[in-house]
Structure formats: structure tokens, C-alpha cells
Amino acid sequence: MLPFTIEQFLGVFASYNRAIWPAQVFAYLMGGLAFSLVFRKGRWSDQIIAGILASMWAWTGIVYHLIFFASINKLAYVFGALFAMQAAAFIYFAVSRSHLNFGYTGRPAGFIGVALVAYAAAIYPLFGLEMGQLPNQLPTFGVTPCPVTIFSFGMLLLTTAPVSRWLLVIPFLWSLVGGSAAIFLRVPQDWALLMAGIVSLALLIVRDRRMAPAG
């Protein structure tokens, strides 16, 4: 049993989207930059991409979860802390250890990564509108949990070196928690979040094992 109603849940999105405007536009610009840098590599491309992903997780954890969602669900404080931890993880692995290498290889993981990015940025909101959700009640790309998680899975599939399992733990957990909205809150576009978590984790594990040096 959820501690809030569907109406309260959608109301949080409506008030959140009004309050943060035009941050949604900036999020799309940053997401587009991150995606473009996968294909147009520069010296600091990997760090910029990771920084953008980190900022999305930090913003969503602090602003959405702690300030808005906590008004109807006290578990939002836990969610906010986890999202902040994921933001720190992106920074740590990209800057401190340089273990994030983004690029498109044309392999199945890369193809699905592109599909997930497209879904998070374009198909997700269109799906919501088609199902009758009002524009101001839509979970928005780059600043709300489920689109951020789907986008992150897509970007992690667009890597050319093994990805630390620590970077996958929180997104996978959120794919289960947030994906439950597809069932309990009638947010059908979040079925893809459940699938993104399972498919991305499996693909990355298989791909990274193949990349591991023999012996």
C-alpha cells in the first residue's frame, strides 16, 4: 500500500515542473551535449559526460526527492541520499580513477544504449501524453528519477571499457523501485525502466567479461 494517492503523486510533478522552469530546457541541452560527445570525442569528453550524469542525479536527489517528493513520502529522504551517492560515484570513477570511457562501437550494447537515450528523451514523454497524462504532470527528462535512470543506463551502455559494478547498483535498484510506478501508479512508460535495468545489467556483465584480459 502506497503512502500517497495517484493524484498526490501527479500533483508533486505538476508543482515541481512549475517551480523549476526552465531547468527542464537546460537538462535537455546538457543531455544532448553528453550524447553528442559520445560520437565527437575530445580530451575531456568522458569527464564532461560523467559530470552531466552526476549533475542530473544530484539535482534529482536533492531538489526532486528531498524538497518535493518528501512532502508525500518520507522514503524520499532515503532516495535522495542514494541519488546523491550515485552522483558522487560518477564523479569518482570519471575523475579520480578515469574508469569511464564513452564511445559508440556499433555492437548490441551500443545500439540498445542509443535506443534507451532516445526513449528517455523523446519517447518517454510522448508515451505519457498518449496515455492521457497532462504535460505539466509528466516526469521530465534530466530532472526526474525514472528518465534520469533510463538515460544513465543508455549512456553506460555507450562505453568502450568495463564499467564498475558499483556504478550499476543504485540505478538497478531504482529500476525496481521506480519501475513499480508502472504497476501501482499507472505510469505505463515506466515498464521500460524495469526492462532497462534488467537488460542493461545483463548486457554490461556479458560484455565486460568478454573485455576482461585472459588469465
Side-chain angles (χ1 to χ4, degrees), residues 77-113:
Y77 293 111
V78 176
F79 300 151
L82 290 174
F83 270 62
M85 288 172 60
Q86 183 66 22
F90 272 118
I91 296 297
Y92 175 73
F93 282 101
V95 178
S96 299
R97 301 182 61 176
S98 299
H99 279 185
L100 275 174
N101 300 290
F102 294 92
Y104 182 71
T105 62
R107 296 175 180 174
F111 177 78
I112 294 174

Side-chain angles (χ1 to χ4, degrees), residues 4 33 35 47-48 51 63 89 91 131-132 159 180 192 196 213:
F4 51 86
L33 174 61
F35 185 63
Q47 287 74 20
I48 293 171
V63 182
I91 296 297
M131 297 305 296
T159 50
S180 66

Side-chain angles (χ1 to χ4, degrees), residues 91-181:
I91 296 297
Y92 175 73
F93 282 101
V95 178
S96 299
R97 301 182 61 176
S98 299
H99 279 185
L100 275 174
N101 300 290
F102 294 92
Y104 182 71
T105 62
R107 296 175 180 174
F111 177 78
I112 294 174
V114 170
L116 289 178
V117 169
Y119 185 89
I123 301 173
Y124 188 101
L126 292 175
F127 194 175
L129 291 172
E130 183 65 23
M131 297 305 296
Q133 293 177 354
L134 298 176
N136 68 334
Q137 295 176 339
L138 291 173
T140 312
F141 173 80
V143 292
T144 54
C146 297
V148 165
T149 305
I150 295 171
F151 179 66
S152 298
F153 276 127
M155 295 300 292
L156 288 172
L157 287 170
L158 290 168
T159 50
T160 58
V163 173
S164 170
R165 299 293 180 263
W166 290 109
L167 275 175
L168 303 175
V169 173
I170 293 174
F172 181 72
L173 289 175
W174 186 258
S175 75
L176 302 178
V177 174
S180 66

Side-chain angles (χ1 to χ4, degrees), residues 31-41 49 155:
L33 174 61
F35 185 63
S36 68
L37 288 176
V38 171
F39 301 91
R40 302 185 67 178
K41 297 282 289 185
I49 294 170
M155 295 300 292

